[in-house]
């Protein structure tokens, strides 16, 4: 493996990110069909994709979107909400050519009294097709003036056969959803410190209680720890008979910290490599971290690098997750250790692809499992070579075809990319002045004429 190459971005094949509209994209009409409220549940990144879906749903229904609510759920116990994490003004302004967004549902006057408009509550079906929004949901919206969709996570189909809708999702995800200035500043200062001594890699170590319980990977733990995991599994996941050895053999277990270290060592990374760890509380603690730390002593996380102590007690909440997200996005190399149902890793893979094909190391756990099992059974000959061979067959973050179960949020190629000198018209980059065109159309819709308009828009500027 040529390590020098890995520290650079992956080969792009002349593709570059572009989520600006490329075909007829009228501005939101002056009259909307009603108000759309949503409550996004889950952690930061599950909420993030739900926000993208909410904007798209509002566009499909020609609705006015009320600023999405973020569930202060039992997992996070975090009350910061949308306004506490994201730059609201930037969000509304960035999407003005796409949807109308208001901060709260309006008040209405009835019989001389002023009261908040009541939104009709609906539980949307999982991965609902566009037709559900244009029929059932729209009907209820017209009937009540406002609807409230809850819970709102994975409630709109991901694969949509209309590239403009997918590009809108990218505009939300990679341009409009910007963390608040203090979060950006804190993340940038952490990245500066890490970079002061050269390249650094970030690893999302998903060796956490919820993931281990979900995967059914218990046998490497003490009886007391196994009891905790089994209890968590019973309380949070559907009953299912999971046999550890079978799960392990097909790569269904999160990599242990030691396995992560062995993969990196096999690829040629040495003990001077600086690594930023993005992770919640590691299950089993220090005993699992020790072998990893002996291979790679330069380990950091947001608590060790944040001298301002701004994160303080908040490392586990949305703020800690937002900082981890930004540091992983900006790192030279990113490695997720478990990108199964991990929204954090999946969203980051997509964002890094969009951010200029930044290198990712995605271990193929299924192909690596037998190699690790052999090593545990004492068959260590050719171990590093075998690991290297598997890792060289993975994609390092360049453009690649999306194959199910890979999510659109993990790989928005080709919809949200264009090629500078493409022969295929569908892949051609939109004209540079696309924002001026959108702005003048929007103005002419408002005034009913088409005055030329000066535009120094920054919608697509990150």
């Amino acid at each position: 493996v040529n390590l020098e190459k890995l520290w650079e971005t992956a080969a792009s094949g002349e593709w570059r990110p572009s989520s600006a509209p490329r075909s007829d994209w009228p501005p939101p009409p002056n009259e909307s069909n009603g108000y759309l409220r949503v409550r996004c549940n889950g952690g930061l990144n599950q909420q993030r994709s739900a926000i993208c879906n909410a904007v798209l749903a509002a566009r499909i229904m020609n609705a006015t979107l009320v600023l999405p609510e973020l569930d202060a759920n039992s997992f996070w116990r975090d009350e910061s909400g949308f306004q506490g994490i994201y730059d609201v003004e930037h969000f509304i302004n960035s999407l003005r050519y796409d949807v109308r967004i208001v901060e709260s549902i309006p008040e209405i006057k009835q019989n001389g009294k002023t009261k908040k408009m009541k939104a009709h509550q609906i539980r949307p079906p999982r991965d609902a097709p566009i037709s559900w929004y244009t029929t059932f949901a729209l009907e209820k919206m017209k009937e009540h003036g406002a609807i409230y969709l809850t819970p709102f996570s994975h409630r709109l189909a991901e694969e949509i056969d209309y590239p403009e809708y997918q590009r809108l999702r990218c505009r939300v995800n990679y341009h409009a959803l910007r963390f608040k200035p203090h979060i950006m500043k804190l993340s940038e200062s952490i990245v500066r410190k890490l970079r002061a001594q050269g390249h650094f890699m970030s690893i999302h170590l998903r060796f956490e209680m919820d993931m281990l319980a979900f995967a059914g990977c218990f046998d490497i733990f003490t009886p007391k720890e196994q009891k905790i995991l089994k209890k968590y599994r019973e309380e949070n996941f559907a009953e299912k008979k999971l046999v550890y050895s079978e799960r392990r053999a097909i790569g269904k277990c999160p990599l242990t910290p030691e396995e992560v270290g062995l993969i990196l060592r096999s690829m040629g990374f040495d003990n001077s490599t600086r690594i930023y760890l993005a992770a919640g509380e590691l299950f089993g603690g220090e005993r699992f971290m020790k072998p990893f730390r002996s291979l790679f002593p330069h380990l950091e996380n947001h608590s060790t690098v944040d001298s301002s102590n701004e994160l303080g007690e908040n490392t586990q909440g949305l703020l800690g997750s937002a900082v981890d997200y930004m540091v992983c996005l900006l790192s030279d190399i990113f490695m997720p250790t478990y990108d199964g149902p991990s929204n954090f890793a999946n969203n980051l893979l997509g964002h890094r692809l969009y951010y200029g094909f930044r290198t990712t190391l995605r271990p193929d756990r299924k192909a690596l499992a037998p190699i690790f099992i052999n090593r545990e059974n004492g068959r260590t000959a050719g171990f590093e070579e075998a690991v290297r061979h598997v890792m060289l067959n993975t994609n390092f973050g360049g453009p690649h075809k999306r194959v199910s179960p890979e999510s659109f949020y993990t790989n928005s190629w080709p919809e949200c990319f264009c090629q500078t000198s493409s022969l295929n018209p569908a892949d051609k980059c939109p004209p540079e002045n696309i924002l001026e065109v959108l702005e003048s159309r929007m103005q002419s819709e408002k005034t009913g004429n088409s005055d030329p308009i000066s535009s120094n828009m920054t919608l697509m500027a990150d």
Side-chain angles (χ1 to χ4, degrees), residues 34-79:
Y35 292 89
L36 173 65
R37 263 181 75 194
V38 299
R39 186 175 64 87
C40 308
N41 52 316
L44 179 82
N45 289 282
Q46 189 167 311
Q47 292 175 355
R48 199 181 173 102
S49 25
I51 295 165
C52 300
N53 285 345
V55 171
L56 179 53
R59 172 79 193 192
I60 291 165
M61 298 164 74
N62 176 24
T64 299
L65 179 67
V66 180
L67 209 58
E69 294 160 34
L70 305 189
D71 185 11
N73 61 29
S74 52
F75 179 66
W76 290 103
R77 299 190 172 82
D78 190 318
E79 303 289 339

Side-chain angles (χ1 to χ4, degrees), residues 245-273:
S245 55
E246 291 172 7
R247 304 287 288 165
R248 176 86 202 284
I250 55 170
K252 290 290 183 197
C253 289
L255 295 170
T256 67
E258 181 180 23
E259 287 169 346
V260 174
L262 291 168
I263 291 170
L264 294 176
R265 185 50 69 81
S266 301
M267 291 182 76
F269 291 98
D270 64 23
N271 62 4
S272 70
T273 309

Side-chain angles (χ1 to χ4, degrees), residues 298-341:
H298 296 286
L299 288 183
E300 306 277 8
N301 60 32
H302 53 213
S303 311
T304 61
V305 198
D306 168 32
S307 54
S308 70
N309 205 22
E310 183 177 338
L311 284 162
E313 290 299 295
N314 202 355
T315 55
Q316 291 296 317
L318 289 174
L319 175 63
S321 188
V323 169
D324 272 350
Y325 185 92
M326 284 311 297
V327 176
C328 290
L329 174 64
L330 299 169
S331 64
D332 301 294
I333 294 174
F334 170 63
M335 179 182 185
T337 60
Y338 193 70
D339 52 352

